[in-house]
Amino acid sequence: MATHTHEITVIGGGPIGMFAAFYAGLHSADVLLLESLDELGGQPGNLYPAKILYDIGGYPNISGQTLIKQLKTQVTHFHPTIHTATNVQSIVQTPTGFSLETTSGNYETKAVIIATGGGAFTPRKLAVAYDPALENHQIQYFVQDLEAMRDLDVAIAGGGDSAIDWALALAPIAKSVHLIHRRNQFRGLESSVEKLKASPVVRHTPYLIDAVNAAEGRIDVALKEVRGDQQATLNVDKLLVNYGFVSENKQLRQWGIALEHNAITVDSKMATSIPGIYAIGDAITYPGKLKLIASGFGEAPIAVNEALTYLYPDRRQATHSTQLYH
Ligand SMILES: Cc1cc2nc3c(=O)[nH]c(=O)nc-3n(C[C@H](O)[C@H](O)[C@H](O)COP(=O)(O)OP(=O)(O)OC[C@H]3O[C@@H](n4cnc5c(N)ncnc54)[C@H](O)[C@@H]3O)c2cc1C
């Protein structure tokens, strides 16, 4: 199926991969961006959409969801080829560059920028069996758009920061919000827990979800008290499950790149141990590395410029965006 060879392929559509794909487009590169999940967004888009970030340059405060929305607008400006639901499984060297074997076919590329963060992550699922047809409809593991919950009855399962953030963010939007947690204590920031207590969110603790059944377009969520006999049933439009994510980066070991404690070692040019493969963001390590979006945003232009210099040693790369933006 691979008929076209891209100049630069970015693996991972988190914030850093998205910015790298934009920056490569700004330098007129023919870019391919591959993301294993159904949506671009990485950790801010999936793990903490409602959390406010205070350490992104130029934004006094911005939610994870809004940052990803802005990055999506930015990355599409130069029309890169973007494939979601595409997990890169192996990187094979070819005479002209690399062949990437993915869950949706093979892609050819001259250079690679790895931005896989902590690895491909999948949500921890509900412990009870349920009709798979409910998933992505009444039962959701990802919340991309809080507005889609407007005037709905929503139950949230989980007791960590992210579940509390979702509950607080949905309280003014949804018709009702129920938070179900197996312990009486929540594992969130003290200030968030205080806000939760003062909010209209109905807390169901210590309860476990015992069953989820379809109920005429809605769902019945059966609750069972932990170490007790109390039972309850919530009839809601949506159940948002927030039990955290399991991230998986054992694929990195098969890509033949030098690693240190599961992180890719790079030099000051973001070059890995294999010429033509660069790496950025949470996936990498170097002395002084900080796993922050701001650091990754700085690493992306270095990797793109170095990849282009590797591909076209005689071409001088322009530095400032005004020389390039159109
Ligand atoms: C709760 C929480 C709060 C945080 N708060 C802050 C904060 O306030 N400020 C801050 O700067 N940082 C914060 N961070 C850290 C920040 O989110 C990360 O530094 C940032 O997301 C790293 O971006 P990334 O693009 O490198 O990786 P990720 O965001 O992890 O994105 C990597 C992407 O690559 C995809 N991927 C992985 N493997 C493959 C594969 N084989 N094929 C295809 N796709 C693949 C993944 O699905 C994912 O979408 C926080 C993190 C967490 C968990």
Side-chain angles (χ1 to χ4, degrees):
M1 75 170 274
T3 51
H4 178 79
T5 301
H6 290 273
E7 287 177 313
I8 295 181
T9 297
V10 179
I11 306 176
I16 312 310
M18 289 164 81
F19 185 59
F22 160 74
Y23 195 86
L26 182 69
H27 283 256
S28 304
D30 172 14
V31 185
L32 172 65
L33 174 60
L34 301 175
E35 165 56 44
S36 65
L37 291 176
D38 293 348
E39 287 279 343
L40 297 176
Q43 295 173 48
N46 295 294
L47 302 189
Y48 55 93
K51 179 188 138 114
I52 304 295
L53 295 101
Y54 298 98
D55 51 1
I56 307 296
Y59 289 104
N61 58 67
I62 186 165
S63 69
Q65 184 186 32
T66 308
L67 177 67
I68 293 305
K69 203 171 149 198
Q70 300 279 41
L71 282 162
K72 280 183 183 167
T73 305
Q74 190 176 38
V75 72
T76 46
H77 182 83
F78 292 109
H79 309 291
T81 305
I82 300 176
H83 292 297
T84 54
T86 299
N87 187 292
V88 177
Q89 303 191 305
S90 64
I91 304 178
V92 179
Q93 275 184 277
T94 65
T96 51
F98 303 92
S99 181
L100 308 179
E101 292 171 1
T102 82
T103 45
S104 62
N106 288 6
Y107 297 94
E108 307 299 312
T109 186
K110 293 179 184 167
V112 175
I113 297 179
I114 300 173
T116 49
F121 42 75
T122 46
R124 281 203 186 88
K125 298 279 176 113
L126 275 180
V128 293
Y130 56 83
D131 179 354
L134 296 173
E135 196 162 314
N136 297 329
H137 299 284
Q138 286 88 348
I139 299 177
Q140 288 185 212
Y141 291 91
F142 300 96
V143 181
Q144 294 287 341
D145 182 12
L146 295 175
E147 267 304 314
M149 310 285 154
R150 185 164 288 280
D151 298 327
L152 300 185
D153 294 309
V154 181
I156 299 170
D161 269 319
S162 181
I164 296 172
D165 284 347
W166 280 4
L168 290 174
L170 282 172
I173 296 171
K175 187 163 146 204
S176 70
V177 180
H178 301 262
L179 186 56
I180 307 154
H181 183 38
R182 66 198 155 103
R183 298 206 176 88
N184 280 321
Q185 307 299 324
F186 285 91
R187 284 177 288 112
L189 280 176
E190 212 174 298
S191 56
S192 302
V193 176
E194 288 310 312
K195 274 190 211 156
L196 181 71
K197 287 179 182 163
S199 78
V201 174
V202 186
R203 286 166 281 142
H204 302 268
T205 65
Y207 276 93
L208 281 173
I209 295 179
D210 202 28
V212 182
N213 292 304
E216 292 171 2
R218 289 165 60 100
I219 41 173
D220 283 332
V221 182
L223 305 182
K224 187 175 172 302
E225 193 184 10
V226 175
R227 283 185 290 278
D229 300 326
Q230 298 292 320
Q231 297 193 343
T233 299
L234 300 174
N235 179 262
V236 291
D237 295 288
K238 298 266 184 200
L239 172 63
L240 311 182
V241 182
N242 196 310
Y243 289 157
F245 285 78
V246 190
S247 67
E248 209 278 328
N249 69 353
K250 66 172 187 264
Q251 277 156 345
L252 278 186
R253 300 213 158 270
Q254 291 151 16
W255 293 355
I257 302 163
L259 303 178
E260 188 184 316
H261 303 299
N262 285 330
I264 301 169
T265 48
V266 294
D267 62 15
S268 59
K269 296 178 172 179
M270 303 301 130
T272 69
S273 58
I274 300 180
I277 303 185
Y278 300 82
I280 53 178
D282 274 18
I284 65 169
T285 185
Y286 55 79
K289 166 68 187 168
L290 289 176
K291 287 189 178 183
L292 285 177
I293 292 165
S295 322
F297 281 173
E299 294 152 7
I302 299 173
V304 169
N305 279 303
E306 291 301 330
L308 288 170
T309 303
Y310 165 80
L311 295 177
Y312 307 106
D314 298 331
R315 197 194 289 170
R316 201 181 150 268
Q317 299 302 326
T319 310
H320 295 140
S321 62
T322 39
Q323 296 162 274
L324 297 157
Y325 201 83
H326 50 88

